[in-house]
């Protein structure tokens, strides 16, 4: 997992020339790679939605899958796990994780 570092302030210790930096880590979700894995599995959005419903009981519309693929909505952990089961990939494979 990669994190982005943002320098937010410096804190002085006993002598002004010695200081440490306080760093906030901002974890960001990158680009969704669902379309890549879905097309690699030779599956349409409609077929993926049908398999999620029929095999796992998850109601996800093809419109929602399109929203995931275009980064308009993040996937919930449950939907992400279901998609991984159907497509045979891991959760970490579904998003780019920026440095």
């Amino acid at each position: 997992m990669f994190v982005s570092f943002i320098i937010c302030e410096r804190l002085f210790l006993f002598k002004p020339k010695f200081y440490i930096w306080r760093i906030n880590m901002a974890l960001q979700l990158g680009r969704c790679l669902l379309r890549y894995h879905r097309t690699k599995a030779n599956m349409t959005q409609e077929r993926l939605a049908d398999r999620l419903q029929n095999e796992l009981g998850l109601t996800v519309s093809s419109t929602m899958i399109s929203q995931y693929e275009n980064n308009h909505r993040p996937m919930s952990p449950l939907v992400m796990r279901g998609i991984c089961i159907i497509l045979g990939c891991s959760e970490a494979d579904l998003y780019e994780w920026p440095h």
Side-chain angles (χ1 to χ4, degrees):
M1 185 177 309
F2 299 104
V3 292
S4 299
F5 292 101
I6 301 168
I7 297 173
C8 97
E9 64 182 273
R10 67 182 175 181
L11 301 172
F12 289 94
L13 295 176
F14 299 107
K15 296 179 182 177
K17 65 180 184 178
F18 297 107
Y19 56 86
I20 61 172
W21 293 94
R22 182 186 300 174
I23 298 174
N24 291 337
M25 292 184 283
L27 196 64
Q28 298 175 351
L29 199 59
R31 185 173 60 100
C32 181
L33 302 174
L34 174 56
R35 179 176 287 126
Y36 168 77
H37 291 288
R38 180 181 55 77
T39 55
K40 190 171 117 179
N42 212 14
M43 195 175 299
T44 64
Q45 291 174 345
E46 291 79 13
R47 180 69 183 134
L48 178 57
D50 288 342
R51 287 193 61 191
L52 286 168
Q53 174 65 45
N54 297 334
E55 296 176 25
L56 302 174
L58 293 173
T59 304
V60 180
S61 67
S62 59
T63 304
M64 188 66 80
I65 292 172
S66 174
Q67 289 180 352
Y68 298 148
E69 290 180 352
N70 293 312
N71 281 336
H72 294 294
R73 281 183 177 245
M75 287 180 254
S76 71
L78 188 62
V79 170
M80 188 183 296
R81 184 67 193 132
I83 288 172
C84 289
I85 290 169
I86 300 293
L87 297 180
C89 62
S90 72
E91 287 88 348
D93 295 335
L94 290 180
Y95 283 97
E96 283 182 343
W97 295 96
H99 302 269

